[in-house]
Amino acid sequence: YQGPIYRGLSFASKRKIKKLLKNRKNVWKEDGITSFSRNKSVAEELARKDKWGLVLSCDNNKSAIPFWNISAFS
């Protein structure tokens, strides 16, 4: 898949989200395999699970493998 993708993250406190963003220095790197969505509203829904949410977007995605058939959120 090539095109924009989105990742929704949720946090229980403002302190936790600030700590995460402070340590990233304008670069986001995941430590392992992670899930993004082609649908921004799906990411927004996941970001609303807790009190504080964040939606990451990647407008220039160059490669991704769809796995909707094995995802809990198809």
Side-chain angles (χ1 to χ4, degrees), residues 1-5 38 58-65:
Y1 173 78
Q2 292 184 332
I5 54 174
R38 292 183 290 177
C58 175
D59 295 329
N60 298 313
N61 175 56
K62 295 186 174 120
S63 67
I65 299 170

Side-chain angles (χ1 to χ4, degrees), residues 4-70:
I5 54 174
Y6 308 94
R7 177 162 169 75
L9 302 168
S10 60
F11 301 88
S13 72
K14 187 176 182 179
R15 182 180 60 78
K16 287 184 179 186
I17 194 171
K18 285 178 122 180
K19 180 180 178 184
L20 177 74
L21 293 174
K22 180 182 175 185
N23 293 333
R24 294 297 176 168
K25 299 179 183 176
N26 296 324
V27 174
W28 190 271
K29 182 179 177 184
E30 294 285 348
D31 294 331
I33 295 172
T34 189
S35 174
F36 281 73
S37 176
R38 292 183 290 177
N39 188 328
K40 187 176 182 180
S41 64
V42 170
E44 290 170 341
E45 182 180 334
L46 291 170
R48 286 192 291 268
K49 281 180 26 181
D50 286 318
K51 186 174 181 179
W52 296 90
L54 173 68
V55 175
L56 302 175
S57 66
C58 175
D59 295 329
N60 298 313
N61 175 56
K62 295 186 174 120
S63 67
I65 299 170
F67 57 94
W68 58 266
N69 56 333
I70 59 170

